[in-house]
Amino acid sequence: EIPAIASPARTRAIMEAYGLTFKKSLGQNFLTDINILNKIVAAAEVTPEDDVIEIGPGIGALTEQLAKKAHQVLALEIDTRLLPVLAETLAPYDNVQVVHQDVLQADLKALIAKYFDGKHNLKIVANLPYYITTPIILHLLETKIDFERIVVMMQKEVADRLAATPGTKDYGSLSVAVQYEMAAKVAFIVPKTVFIPQPKVDSAIIVLEKKQVKENEPLDEAFFNKMVKGIFLHRRKSLWNNLQGFYGKTPAIKEKLAHALGKAQIEPGIRAEKLSIAQMVALADALVSEKI
Ligand code: SAM
């Protein structure tokens, strides 16, 4: 049995052996607790049926645990200093590929075609670099790749927004963007103490699961996404005021807005945060048919 990469002592020893410091600017807070790693892999339900993409392997602590369960693991790391480290720490695992990539620039479709056989489920499992959590989530959704599960660690505060339900203070355009495609839930909270160095904020593991049946498919997805951002611009204002602020206040536009709200059976005085995704889709579709 090879000793796990994830322990405070081994993490410090590896960094020292390579003369490396943790780069704050790259969100380098490494996990050093094997129990937390096992819980992450369990939440992702990783099996030999799965090909897994990991974002930001660091020195390979999570990568190693994924390699033990998955068919193939592809890890994208931006920091060139870590590549020789990963070559050494992951040498015992022949089902791992590490590529030097900025995840936000990466062509994930091309990487998947190159490294995976197309016969396995696709999952994303990662301890995300926190300075770009939201861009990464939006980037993953934009690829339109059918990830069966996305299980990622992030700031607790962002996780709460992703999983928020209508009527709560955390519910916003990010909740809608995610939950439109995937069911979201916070699996568990992770204390700061299991990282080196310790981050300033608490962390949480979020599980995003592909919705098998999309209940709500807008006529025009780009229009829908813009409208959602528009109606959440001023959270304290009513839907009616936000719609006018976003689309305009001329009598002609007001009439179209009023028509659309009527058609979607939505009270103009309500706040966006009270609307379900289905109601937002109904409103977007009504606005599209009003040719606003
Ligand atoms: N997976 C390791 C762990 O759990 O210990 C490290 C996680 S650490 C929070 C985030 C990792 O993402 C770092 O290794 C960092 O270098 C890498 N990273 C930062 N920005 C990135 C980017 N744009 N693309 C790919 N990796 C990135």
Side-chain angles (χ1 to χ4, degrees), residues 125-179:
V125 184
N127 170 17
L128 294 178
Y130 290 0
Y131 72 107
I132 43 170
T133 302
T134 306
I136 291 174
I137 296 291
L138 295 176
H139 181 65
L140 294 178
L141 295 176
E142 271 163 23
T143 63
K144 295 282 167 203
I145 295 166
D146 258 326
F147 296 114
E148 187 170 285
R149 243 165 214 256
I150 300 178
V151 176
V152 283
M153 174 130 69
M154 57 181 64
Q155 309 89 311
K156 184 181 172 298
E157 174 224 328
V158 182
D160 287 341
R161 280 163 54 207
L162 293 191
T165 50
T168 62
K169 72 167 172 32
D170 290 326
Y171 186 64
S173 54
L174 189 62
S175 329
V176 176
V178 168
Q179 293 173 36

Side-chain angles (χ1 to χ4, degrees), residues 23 25-32 37 40 54-63 76-79 81-82 99 101-105 126-132 136 153 195-196:
K23 272 199 187 164
S25 62
L26 290 178
Q28 290 179 349
N29 303 95
F30 295 166
L31 267 171
T32 59
L37 289 169
I40 296 172
E54 186 194 1
I55 298 156
I59 58 170
L62 174 58
T63 327
L76 315 184
E77 176 55 62
I78 198 173
D79 187 352
R81 304 176 312 157
L82 296 172
V99 291
Q101 284 272 343
D102 174 347
V103 63
L104 295 178
Q105 304 295 326
N127 170 17
L128 294 178
Y130 290 0
Y131 72 107
I132 43 170
I136 291 174
M153 174 130 69
F195 300 89
I196 297 183

Side-chain angles (χ1 to χ4, degrees), residues 47-102:
T47 77
E49 301 294 306
D50 301 327
D51 282 338
V52 179
I53 294 179
E54 186 194 1
I55 298 156
I59 58 170
L62 174 58
T63 327
E64 172 180 58
Q65 302 310 319
L66 292 168
K68 288 182 180 172
K69 296 275 163 68
H71 172 248
Q72 285 285 335
V73 180
L74 173 65
L76 315 184
E77 176 55 62
I78 198 173
D79 187 352
T80 45
R81 304 176 312 157
L82 296 172
L83 301 179
V85 182
L86 290 160
E88 185 189 328
T89 57
L90 299 173
Y93 306 95
D94 59 9
N95 59 341
V96 177
Q97 297 276 350
V98 177
V99 291
H100 178 225
Q101 284 272 343
D102 174 347

Side-chain angles (χ1 to χ4, degrees), residues 16 37 42 48 52 57 60 91 147 155-156 158 167-168 172 180 182 208 232 247 250 288 290:
E16 220 175 275
L37 289 169
V52 179
F147 296 114
Q155 309 89 311
K156 184 181 172 298
V158 182
T168 62
Y180 160 63
M182 312 195 78
L208 305 178
F232 278 111
Y247 290 107
T250 66
V288 166
E290 290 292 328

Side-chain angles (χ1 to χ4, degrees), residues 164-173 175-176 179 227-228 231-240 242 261 264-281 283:
T165 50
T168 62
K169 72 167 172 32
D170 290 326
Y171 186 64
S173 54
S175 329
V176 176
Q179 293 173 36
M227 185 204 78
V228 172
I231 63 177
F232 278 111
L233 267 183
H234 304 281
R235 295 187 65 95
R236 308 259 124 226
K237 287 191 184 170
S238 68
L239 179 61
W240 178 243
N242 270 320
L261 285 163
Q265 299 184 312
I266 297 170
E267 278 295 318
I270 200 172
R271 282 187 191 160
E273 67 197 43
K274 298 273 186 205
L275 295 177
S276 67
I277 295 177
Q279 284 176 305
M280 290 184 201
V281 171
L283 179 57

Side-chain angles (χ1 to χ4, degrees), residues 6 31-43 62 65 153 188-191 193-195 205:
L31 267 171
T32 59
D33 185 325
I34 190 72
N35 296 316
I36 299 285
L37 289 169
N38 287 334
K39 278 175 78 175
I40 296 172
V41 176
L62 174 58
Q65 302 310 319
M153 174 130 69
F188 57 95
I189 309 297
V190 180
T193 49
V194 299
F195 300 89
I205 296 291

